[in-house]
Amino acid sequence: MHLSSVLYALSDPIRLSIVSELHKLGECTCGGIEVSVVKSTMSHHVRTMREAGVVNVRVQGTQRFLSLRKNDLDEKFPGLLHSILNAYDSSSDTQLPK
């Protein structure tokens, strides 16, 4: 897990909204997160976050369950995720067009 990869993964508004939802909801399926993108684009975003070490993907049958790797991120980069999510929640970026 590298800082540049994590920051890149969190730099996209769609991915940031996904991370914010995972932070609020905990583990959920890809379809359980409301985003205004097609499945292939969602898959791209999930892969980018998984490869950066931001999320964990658990496969159960045909479903993919996403969870935020809070503990790993806090251990490697203390306070980073908390700061980014606080800034995101207080910004106007939380109002993405649907």
Side-chain angles (χ1 to χ4, degrees), residues 10-27:
L10 297 175
S11 69
D12 183 272
I14 298 292
R15 290 193 290 263
L16 193 53
S17 70
I18 294 168
V19 168
S20 178
E21 286 297 307
L22 287 173
H23 185 261
K24 293 173 190 169
L25 301 173
E27 184 181 61

Side-chain angles (χ1 to χ4, degrees), residues 30-49:
C30 290
I33 299 172
E34 290 190 36
V35 290
S36 59
V37 296
V38 296
K39 285 183 182 182
S40 61
T41 303
M42 178 67 166
S43 295
H44 164 73
H45 288 307
V46 169
R47 185 183 74 238
T48 300
M49 292 186 296

Side-chain angles (χ1 to χ4, degrees), residues 20-91:
S20 178
E21 286 297 307
L22 287 173
H23 185 261
K24 293 173 190 169
L25 301 173
E27 184 181 61
C28 64
T29 62
C30 290
I33 299 172
E34 290 190 36
V35 290
S36 59
V37 296
V38 296
K39 285 183 182 182
S40 61
T41 303
M42 178 67 166
S43 295
H44 164 73
H45 288 307
V46 169
R47 185 183 74 238
T48 300
M49 292 186 296
R50 180 182 47 80
E51 289 175 352
V54 175
V55 298
N56 185 47
V57 179
R58 181 174 62 87
V59 178
Q60 184 174 348
T62 60
Q63 293 187 326
R64 306 264 188 280
F65 289 85
L66 301 177
S67 60
L68 192 56
R69 293 180 60 187
K70 291 182 217 176
N71 294 338
D72 295 335
L73 288 166
D74 286 340
E75 183 179 315
K76 183 87 174 186
F77 311 110
L80 176 69
L81 184 62
H82 179 74
S83 297
I84 289 173
L85 288 173
N86 280 344
Y88 174 75
D89 288 339
S90 65
S91 75

